[in-house]
Amino acid sequence: KGYTIKMMLIFLTEYEEEGTCFGGPFIVAPNWEEAEKQASHCNITIIGSLSESLVGPVIEKKERVLH
């Protein structure tokens, strides 16, 4: 108990340097919106996703609230 399982997607990115585009790092996120946040933070552009290639389930521990 206390854990959730999330499916994560792989997003492809690129960046530009001195007028030339280069392949950027992969972003692993649950959806496009979250990937955009990460890309914006790193000043890179998302160019697509590997929709068929899901990262295996990611298990997150839920925070417990004591009353």
Side-chain angles (χ1 to χ4, degrees):
K1 291 186 174 185
Y3 293 93
T4 58
I5 297 175
K6 285 185 169 182
M7 295 307 289
M8 305 295 268
L9 298 168
I10 300 170
F11 294 87
L12 309 172
T13 67
E14 69 180 8
Y15 65 96
E16 185 177 331
E17 188 174 304
E18 297 180 8
T20 303
C21 286
F22 297 94
F26 296 124
I27 293 177
V28 177
N31 56 50
W32 190 278
E33 293 78 23
E34 290 298 317
E36 279 286 348
K37 288 179 188 177
Q38 292 181 40
S40 176
H41 179 72
C42 297
N43 199 27
I44 57 180
T45 304
I46 294 177
I47 57 172
S49 68
L50 299 176
S51 59
E52 301 281 327
S53 300
L54 297 172
V55 175
V58 174
I59 299 173
E60 290 187 340
K61 184 176 180 180
K62 289 184 181 178
E63 289 190 34
R64 296 176 66 192
V65 178
L66 299 176
H67 296 276

